[in-house]
Amino acid sequence: MSHRRPWPARAIRLLACPVCGAPLTARPDDTGLRCPAGHSFDRARQGHVTLLPPGHVPPSGDSAAMVADRVAFLAAGHYAGVTGALTAAVTTGGDGPPGALLDLGGGTGQHLAGVLDRLPGAVGVVLDSSRYAARRAAGAHPRALAVVGDAWARLPVRDAAVDRVLVVFAPRNGPEIARVLRPEGRLVVVTPAADHLAELIGPLGLLRVDPDKARRLAATLESHLRPHAAAGHRERLELDRAAVTTLVGMGPHARHLSPAGLAAAVAGLPERTPVTVSVDVTTWTRAG
């Protein structure tokens, strides 16, 4: 057996076979997962596991370059305030601290790791369609497990298995989120507010936040979940040109800008630029 750390057993118990839906367990040698029907899924060398039905191709996820930029930007602590706002929403209220978390579209697992640091009794699963992100997420926290999966398909998670589903700047599959949440569980969504990164939109030609985002979010969720609470987080950062470059490179803007075009635009910025970080944090419970 390699030197990789064992998967957290309680996190494995949250998972379901993507072929037949049966519970998954670890192989005796910790090299992968299997279900009672014999469907088996190998553990990658980097520590993650791919849980997709046979022949299913997930949506294209973040590229290796985007993931590298995300690692650099988050490791510098620029979004620590966002993680803090997420953690507050996850841990506030309810019947006690949540014990099982699912981070959908969780990328490198940085936000989930920050939440788990505040919940010493909890375990988590990061699910992302990017294998590059999953490789990073596999080492994000000793009580987290990383899965390559498709957030738009049936999730490889057991019914009513998790206390919290986290969605930070990622897709939201309302029916599946409602299915995997426990009866008293909650969904916590972080979305960009209208003034998020406002200082960079014009100079760099970034995508603007859809002013109808809140209504569209509600429309995708409200037949399966109901609003429970809402909060916001807003702060002002001062970013140098290198940090601005990694910030743009890690998100959807990177798909619309060439590296040369981005470099030229960033070169026109001051040495340090004030940048607004502004997000909405909404909490949802199961409907009915």
Side-chain angles (χ1 to χ4, degrees), residues 46-49 107-108 128 130-139 146-148:
Q46 296 88 351
H48 62 282
V49 62
T108 62
D128 200 277
S130 168
R131 67 182 185 277
Y132 304 109
R135 289 171 184 172
R136 302 281 192 163
V147 172
V148 175

Side-chain angles (χ1 to χ4, degrees), residues 157-174:
V157 177
R158 299 174 67 174
D159 294 353
V162 298
D163 299 300
R164 301 287 186 274
V165 174
L166 321 180
V167 179
V168 182
F169 302 158
R172 299 161 293 273
N173 183 336

Side-chain angles (χ1 to χ4, degrees), residues 79 82 167-170 172 189-197 201 207-214 216-217 233 252-253 276-281:
Y79 272 5
V82 175
V167 179
V168 182
F169 302 158
R172 299 161 293 273
V189 181
V190 178
T191 51
D195 56 341
H196 185 57
L197 312 184
I201 290 173
L207 302 170
R208 294 183 180 274
V209 175
D210 180 359
D212 209 24
K213 181 178 284 287
R216 289 195 298 106
L217 170 63
H233 171 77
H253 313 287
T276 298
V277 172
S278 183
V279 299
D280 297 318
V281 184

Side-chain angles (χ1 to χ4, degrees), residues 75-113:
H78 299 306
Y79 272 5
V82 175
T83 302
L86 172 69
T87 302
V90 168
T91 57
T92 300
D95 298 327
L101 289 74
L102 171 64
D103 192 356
L104 282 181
T108 62
Q110 180 84 5
H111 294 301
L112 177 63

Side-chain angles (χ1 to χ4, degrees), residues 51-70:
L51 296 179
L52 292 167
H56 186 91
V57 179
S60 60
D62 290 350
S63 66
M66 292 172 70
V67 169
D69 280 342
R70 186 178 304 275

Side-chain angles (χ1 to χ4, degrees), residues 10 97-100 116 118-123 143:
R10 285 173 50 224
L116 289 175
R118 290 282 304 275
L119 293 170
V123 296
R143 286 182 276 115

